[in-house]
Amino acid sequence: MSSYTNAPARGVKGAGVFVIVAAIIMIVAGIAVWILVATQLSAEKITVSDDSTFMGGVFAGQQVQGPFTAYAQADIINHHALEASGGATYAELEQDDPVRDTVMDASFLRASLFTSVVAFGVCALVIGLGIVLGVIGGALRGLARTP
């Protein structure tokens, strides 16, 4: 008669601890970068234009300091630039068109705001993955305790 024990594979406890530590680092880093980006955006003292229509204009008049307000301002900048150029983008305007510089500036401003929107998205992803890793690490540690 053979006896079989359901012992966990070697290293499961160590792997669980490693994954939990990685999870904590990811969550802390994600939160720290989120705060950094929000602080830098806030320091620019940008206010969402009063005629913003993103999400029904709910962010109009608010200070840009998060992903939604940054997107709302980028969206209305695009609207204003297209209005000034008669619907033409920077690439569609003639090189000697006096509006071209205005549309170019709008494009640069939009790109900067979209960069912050992407940064917030990456932070959210890192925080979410950190939470998932924390759950996996906890499960691995639980397996290591199984007799």
Side-chain angles (χ1 to χ4, degrees):
M1 177 187 242
S2 68
S3 105
Y4 174 75
T5 59
N6 191 11
R10 289 180 102 154
V12 173
K13 182 178 181 180
V17 170
F18 176 78
V19 172
I20 289 171
V21 170
I24 292 168
I25 291 169
M26 289 178 75
I27 292 168
V28 169
I31 292 170
V33 173
W34 182 289
I35 291 168
L36 175 70
V37 173
T39 301
Q40 292 300 308
L41 267 178
S42 184
E44 292 297 322
K45 302 193 183 324
I46 303 166
T47 302
V48 178
S49 182
D50 287 335
D51 58 344
S52 171
T53 58
F54 176 67
M55 292 185 67
V58 69
F59 300 109
Q62 292 186 21
Q63 186 175 6
V64 174
Q65 57 189 5
F68 294 108
T69 52
Y71 185 87
Q73 182 60 16
D75 181 59
I76 197 63
I77 287 172
N78 184 53
H79 174 77
H80 290 165
L82 290 173
E83 192 175 83
S85 68
T89 65
Y90 174 78
E92 296 171 325
L93 292 170
E94 295 295 326
Q95 287 187 353
D96 61 347
D97 191 323
V99 177
R100 194 165 198 242
D101 284 343
T102 300
V103 174
M104 179 179 63
D105 288 344
S107 179
F108 292 157
L109 290 170
R110 289 182 65 232
S112 295
L113 289 167
F114 281 137
T115 299
S116 67
V117 172
V118 170
F120 283 118
V122 171
C123 289
L125 174 69
V126 169
I127 293 166
L129 288 174
I131 292 168
V132 169
L133 283 179
V135 170
I136 292 170
L140 289 173
R141 296 250 339 189
L143 283 175
R145 287 192 295 266
T146 303

